[in-house]
Amino acid sequence: DGIQRRLGVVEFLKVDNQHGHIKVFGDLRLGSLDHLTAALHREAVIARYPDITLDLEELSSITHSVIPPLAAYLRYLTQQHKVDYNFIQPRNGQLRDRLKRLGLSHYIDFRRFEKPNFKSSHPSVMQFITTSECDIVTDKIVNSVLRTAQLSRQHIAALEWAVSEITDNVINHSQSTVGGFAIFNKIRNTNIIEITVADSGVGVSRTLRIPDEMEAVSQAIQEGVTRDKNTNQGNGLFGSYQLACASKGIFIRKSRRGNLYVDKAGETHIRL
């Protein structure tokens, strides 16, 4: 809670939770999401409150990258722990509309808000459970990139491969009971593309049978590392990581308490 420092960036987020009421203040970013999911875990799993109030009235901002992992965890709690949510929307009208447009509002309160449509041209979180839905997600992301960014045919093909591999990993390895969640975002006034894929599965440590979570996230991006070499080549995350490095982008892999961050210079940072 409070101010969290991650990779030299100060993020302002405060989460208060008590008796099934979770109130969020400030900016919700990927680096501070653990504060909110920890509060959800305390109230839903440990204290076993069946009805949780998620109070985002004082939320100041939220990044696209937060939406898939938060939606995945909220849906997991609904399915596995029978949690219902009372959603207090942000006071800021633009932010309130943004949460609805990106689809997060649906995964907090599915009775009040419609599920995002795969066919919508607007960026929104996409839930996928089957292989055919993986293909739909990949196609939508690639088509969105074609409309909004200036990339060569070679770069588009590489991007399509990476998204297909990562979403396929969710279906085949994560054991997530709610499937996976993905979102696409083009950073305004740049040619930078941000893609986030998340699930609420068992985590890379259990998948690779490596007890140490820091070692597990490190091994996950190594060439040829896979759960079953008879059925997989182990190049999905490795290839995606290499593509991010080649384009001088950023690659982030979070799994439970293991956090891997590769910066624009290609330097790898691993921490709990």
Side-chain angles (χ1 to χ4, degrees), residues 135-186:
D135 294 339
I136 294 172
V137 167
T138 301
D139 288 345
K140 181 173 179 179
I141 289 175
V142 170
N143 289 332
S144 297
V145 172
L146 286 170
R147 285 197 312 271
T148 58
Q150 297 177 348
L151 296 182
S152 68
R153 183 175 298 178
Q154 183 180 12
H155 289 156
I156 291 291
L159 177 68
E160 183 176 13
W161 175 86
V163 175
S164 179
E165 286 287 320
I166 293 174
T167 54
D168 186 70
N169 276 350
V170 171
I171 299 300
N172 289 315
H173 301 299
S174 74
Q175 301 179 47
S176 171
T177 57
V178 297
F181 294 75
I183 202 166
F184 158 84
N185 180 38
K186 180 183 176 293

Side-chain angles (χ1 to χ4, degrees), residues 56-181:
L56 302 185
E57 186 176 15
E58 301 300 330
L59 184 70
S60 302
S61 68
I62 190 170
T63 60
H64 279 71
S65 58
V66 166
I67 306 295
L70 181 53
Y73 193 57
L74 289 168
R75 183 48 54 94
Y76 162 80
L77 291 177
T78 296
Q79 186 183 88
Q80 299 298 314
H81 296 274
K82 312 303 180 187
V83 174
D84 265 333
Y85 306 100
N86 175 36
F87 180 26
I88 300 178
Q89 299 187 72
R91 179 179 299 165
N92 182 298
Q94 289 184 337
L95 185 55
R96 187 165 59 242
D97 292 341
R98 188 161 181 253
L99 293 188
K100 182 179 178 181
R101 186 176 67 253
L102 293 178
L104 182 61
S105 296
H106 168 78
Y107 290 100
I108 300 173
D109 191 341
F110 67 89
R111 295 181 180 89
R112 290 168 60 194
F113 301 95
E114 293 184 2
K115 186 175 184 177
N117 192 328
F118 270 130
K119 296 181 180 179
S120 170
S121 60
H122 298 292
S124 58
V125 65
M126 297 171 282
Q127 183 181 13
F128 56 94
I129 297 174
T130 65
T131 301
S132 61
E133 288 175 341
C134 283
D135 294 339
I136 294 172
V137 167
T138 301
D139 288 345
K140 181 173 179 179
I141 289 175
V142 170
N143 289 332
S144 297
V145 172
L146 286 170
R147 285 197 312 271
T148 58
Q150 297 177 348
L151 296 182
S152 68
R153 183 175 298 178
Q154 183 180 12
H155 289 156
I156 291 291
L159 177 68
E160 183 176 13
W161 175 86
V163 175
S164 179
E165 286 287 320
I166 293 174
T167 54
D168 186 70
N169 276 350
V170 171
I171 299 300
N172 289 315
H173 301 299
S174 74
Q175 301 179 47
S176 171
T177 57
V178 297
F181 294 75

Side-chain angles (χ1 to χ4, degrees), residues 172-175 206-209 225-229 232:
N172 289 315
H173 301 299
S174 74
Q175 301 179 47
R206 280 185 58 185
T207 298
L208 296 180
R209 303 182 183 93
V225 175
T226 182
R227 180 182 63 177
D228 187 351
K229 290 184 178 294
N232 304 286

